Amino acid sequence: MGTALLGLIGPIVGGVAVVLTTYWTTRPKALAEARKFEAEADRTRAETTKILAEIDVRRPSVAPQDTTPKGWSVSGSVPEDYEVGLDLEVFSVGRASAYIRSRHENPAGYAGLVQTIKADDYRGTRLQVTAMVKARDVVGWAGVWMRVDDAHDHTLAFDNMQNPERRIAGSVGWRRYSIALDIPENAAYINFGAVMERTGQIWLDDVRVNVVDDSVPVTDITSRFPRHPVNLDFENGTY
């Protein structure tokens, strides 16, 4: 019986040994493959996020529209939910204004009116964009905006008045709004215009782009970020 039992146990032990040997010899390779797949997944997620961010910021109009003011274009996350055009009856100065309005009661994202110019003549200066804006029943928010990009489409400076203290909302009569950004030496393009999110309508008129001195404060959103981390142990209370 002992011989028979040994005969049965021998192949089992041998099989286990083979499995264990195979496991320990292939485990590093399997882990390496797993890490490789995980790294590729992380890279794919990062690239997808970047693509979505680029689409969100720089997506052009879904189709050329006859109503788009000459020299301007439409951008935004879901521009097809909005209408952009000229208004020959409502204006601040002259004979016309531009407008952005929602096409239905539940628009997604936002839409913007944008003009892009080369930064060559403005490098090293502080540039101010001002515009007359009128709003009617804006449920989300609206604002004048400007973004400075380098040659690789990396954002160098940006402001869109989204801050609660500066945004345009509700119904507001004609009023001049302004933003100002420093134009770095590596700037390639300057984008500016107006933006609106959700329902309502805004009118844009008498846009001005001027170089200003240091007495005009910069409104760059990115300049408000702290240079170093703060309150990492959460011991400094709350706002």
Side-chain angles (χ1 to χ4, degrees):
M1 177 150 181
T3 304
L5 182 61
L6 288 176
L8 291 172
I9 292 176
I12 294 174
V13 172
V16 170
V18 171
V19 169
L20 290 174
T21 301
T22 303
Y23 172 78
W24 287 111
T25 55
T26 59
R27 184 169 182 268
K29 182 178 180 181
L31 290 175
E33 289 293 328
R35 285 193 293 267
K36 178 182 177 182
F37 287 133
E38 184 176 358
E40 290 177 350
D42 288 340
R43 184 163 55 250
T44 300
R45 283 192 292 269
E47 290 174 351
T48 301
T49 301
K50 181 177 184 297
I51 290 171
L52 290 175
E54 292 293 324
I55 291 174
D56 187 56
V57 173
R58 299 179 174 86
R59 183 179 180 180
S61 174
V62 291
Q65 301 178 19
D66 292 339
T67 58
T68 304
K70 184 179 295 185
W72 297 79
S73 60
V74 181
S75 65
S77 56
V78 190
E80 58 267 32
D81 279 1
Y82 298 84
E83 179 184 345
V84 175
L86 287 177
D87 195 321
L88 303 181
E89 297 181 358
V90 178
F91 46 82
S92 174
V93 297
R95 297 177 297 175
S97 69
Y99 67 84
I100 304 173
R101 67 178 172 223
S102 52
R103 291 184 181 271
H104 50 79
E105 295 181 356
N106 191 30
Y110 66 90
L113 187 63
V114 57
Q115 187 168 150
T116 301
I117 60 175
K118 291 183 178 180
D120 302 46
D121 295 337
Y122 300 98
R123 295 187 185 112
T125 70
R126 179 165 297 179
L127 197 63
Q128 183 184 54
V129 173
T130 69
M132 296 294 292
V133 180
K134 173 183 171 72
R136 183 177 66 195
D137 300 329
V138 175
V139 173
W141 65 277
V144 178
W145 72 280
M146 175 166 51
R147 191 186 70 240
V148 183
D149 298 334
D150 65 12
H152 303 287
D153 286 335
H154 297 142
T155 299
L156 304 177
F158 178 70
D159 184 25
N160 62 0
M161 291 180 52
Q162 189 176 7
N163 187 287
E165 288 79 26
R166 299 174 58 222
R167 64 176 55 178
I168 303 169
S171 297
V172 183
W174 286 110
R175 178 181 171 185
R176 184 164 293 279
Y177 298 89
S178 65
I179 55 179
L181 300 177
D182 286 332
I183 312 301
E185 292 296 339
N186 62 330
Y189 308 104
I190 301 169
N191 315 272
F192 61 91
V195 59
M196 189 186 81
E197 181 184 57
R198 297 185 67 186
T199 57
Q201 179 171 355
I202 63 169
W203 290 263
L204 179 72
D205 201 359
D206 196 25
V207 181
R208 303 179 186 180
V209 180
N210 296 303
V211 174
V212 295
D213 58 33
D214 292 344
S215 65
V216 177
V218 169
T219 61
D220 187 0
I221 291 176
T222 61
S223 68
R224 303 173 192 167
F225 298 146
R227 295 179 63 87
H228 305 287
V230 298
N231 197 24
L232 300 181
D233 58 2
F234 307 103
E235 300 297 325
N236 290 337
T238 65
Y239 288 104

